Amino acid sequence: MGQKKTFYLAFSYSHSHGDGKSGLAFHRTFLQGLRKYSTSTVNDPEYIIQTPDLSLLPAIEDATNLWISWSFLLTPILRVYLPNTVSSALGIRTTISPESPNMWRATPYSHDPANFHTGIKLVYLNYKPLREVLRVCKSKGTKFTGLLHQAILYTMRKELAQDNPQTTFVSVTPVDLRKLIPGYCDNDMLIGTTVDYELFPPLMTPADQDSNISEAIWEAARNTTARLAECGSRLSDQPIGLLQYLGHFRHWLINQIGKQRDASYELTNVLTFDPELGNQDFSDGSVKEWQMQRIMIAQPASAVGGPISFNVASIKGGDLVITLTWQLGVLGLE
């Protein structure tokens, strides 16, 4: 038998055309294509596979009814026309994301093309401890994403807000809506997500008992799990639904530069990826010479998004990889 060769295969695409699951769909179908041919055939430089000519699926706002209530619609409108002093005095909320006076925002939105760079760091968690963490999460009544938020908050409080224990953080988490949209499935390349914003208040003071802090963390993780499940169960009053009312997206986007950020960080978890899903049948002569051992996702720094992103992916039965990406210079740590 020949020596096994291992390599990374990178698939880069615009976020305007696909979400996190779109990348997984590519790798799953690419693996399926490789297995239809022997290794010697794939290595033939003269061999070219013709891809089918397929039309893009309709955008999410065209594929389904993203119903927006008047109260939800008025929120961004009031932000444009109502001064902050007036809205605060009247107790009127003018942002879709929650806010607090002590919210950590890093620096305002900024984009200097000559000095716009992305920082990146990879964190690995082996399968054996990961499996134990998942077991404990299940026993505590929470999903792994809920606990991840608490781990991120612990680190950010320690590294970015240790001088101000009253600092609050706002997270933004993409939530998949594919199961609610007729004609959409996990193997489609499209934007099938909305986002959920959550405000995390200060946890506890160091004087509190460790057992109380631990229980508070698990309770917060359960609350996040519940709100993400609720967000993913409806199509009404979703932030992505407001795009249908935006006449000039590029103009709006450019006008965000210089304003305060609406989130402290982003957490994207594409969950466990099973490359064998739909690939189990080899009766057609497919060759199982190709295997996937690890997967990771990443995104570049966002000039008009959270200052730092935590991108989480794991392969079924394998390691978990967290990719941290941020805009250099905005965290105050460089």
Side-chain angles (χ1 to χ4, degrees):
M1 296 180 62
Q3 185 179 4
K4 292 184 178 180
K5 296 181 179 179
T6 302
F7 59 90
Y8 280 101
L9 173 69
F11 175 52
S12 176
Y13 58 100
S14 170
H15 213 336
S16 64
H17 287 69
D19 52 18
K21 278 195 172 180
S22 299
L24 302 184
F26 167 83
H27 284 290
R28 181 181 289 115
T29 53
F30 188 76
L31 177 63
Q32 186 178 19
L34 287 174
R35 286 177 171 175
K36 289 184 178 180
Y37 306 93
S38 66
T39 305
S40 58
T41 301
V42 174
N43 288 336
D44 183 355
E46 302 297 324
Y47 192 81
I48 298 176
I49 297 177
Q50 298 295 331
T51 57
D53 186 11
L54 300 176
S55 300
L56 293 175
L57 290 168
I60 188 171
E61 64 268 23
D62 296 324
T64 190
N65 179 23
L66 297 172
W67 183 79
I68 300 294
S69 66
W70 277 108
S71 60
F72 195 75
L73 179 61
L74 285 174
T75 298
I77 295 177
L78 291 175
R79 183 177 181 85
V80 175
Y81 295 104
L82 199 63
N84 289 336
T85 53
V86 176
S87 61
S88 298
L90 297 176
I92 299 175
R93 181 177 172 180
T94 59
T95 61
I96 293 181
S97 59
E99 294 183 318
S100 78
N102 295 320
M103 174 182 166
W104 186 84
R105 301 173 184 267
T107 61
Y109 297 129
S110 61
H111 182 252
D112 177 7
N115 297 293
F116 190 84
H117 304 289
T118 299
I120 186 169
K121 185 176 181 62
L122 300 178
V123 178
Y124 299 93
L125 180 59
N126 293 333
Y127 176 65
K128 188 175 181 179
L130 173 62
R131 183 174 56 184
E132 179 62 17
V133 171
L134 295 176
R135 185 194 67 78
V136 175
C137 283
K138 186 176 181 180
S139 70
K140 294 291 186 178
T142 181
K143 298 291 188 181
F144 184 55
T145 301
L147 182 62
L148 273 175
H149 274 289
Q150 293 304 307
I152 291 169
L153 289 166
Y154 174 84
T155 302
M156 294 187 72
R157 287 187 180 110
K158 181 179 178 181
E159 298 295 332
L160 303 172
Q162 57 182 341
D163 296 332
N164 185 4
Q166 296 305 308
T167 299
T168 61
F169 294 88
V170 170
S171 68
V172 56
T173 310
V175 178
D176 186 32
L177 297 177
R178 277 174 166 80
K179 63 181 181 181
L180 303 178
I181 304 172
Y184 278 17
C185 71
D186 286 350
N187 271 342
D188 288 330
M189 188 165 192
L190 44 80
I191 299 291
T193 55
T194 186
V195 293
D196 177 75
Y197 293 93
E198 183 174 3
L199 172 65
F200 293 98
L203 186 58
M204 284 187 173
T205 63
D208 290 308
Q209 296 295 323
D210 290 343
S211 59
N212 292 336
I213 294 176
S214 177
E215 182 51 38
I217 288 175
W218 286 114
E219 182 61 26
R222 285 189 288 268
N223 290 339
T224 298
T225 297
R227 72 175 290 128
L228 292 178
E230 189 280 328
C231 180
S233 68
R234 57 178 167 82
L235 293 173
S236 61
D237 285 346
Q238 294 287 8
I240 195 171
L242 293 171
L243 292 179
Q244 58 192 310
Y245 299 99
L246 191 61
H248 302 283
F249 182 78
R250 178 175 173 79
H251 177 73
W252 172 84
L253 201 63
I254 293 175
N255 282 343
Q256 301 306 302
I257 301 298
K259 295 182 179 180
Q260 292 291 328
R261 297 179 188 268
D262 62 358
S264 307
Y265 69 92
E266 176 183 329
L267 171 58
T268 297
N269 184 5
V270 295
L271 306 179
T272 301
F273 175 57
D274 183 3
E276 303 301 334
L277 191 63
N279 288 336
Q280 294 94 338
D281 184 10
F282 296 94
S283 59
D284 60 353
S286 300
V287 182
K288 200 176 179 180
E289 292 177 294
W290 299 91
Q291 302 287 336
M292 291 185 65
Q293 298 176 335
R294 175 178 288 167
I295 193 164
M296 61 185 69
I297 62 171
Q299 55 183 316
S302 176
V304 291
I308 183 169
S309 296
F310 299 82
N311 312 280
V312 185
S314 63
I315 203 163
K316 186 177 180 180
D319 300 342
L320 177 136
V321 183
I322 304 177
T323 308
L324 286 70
T325 54
W326 67 94
Q327 182 180 343
L328 291 180
V330 306
L331 299 180
L333 298 176
E334 290 83 0

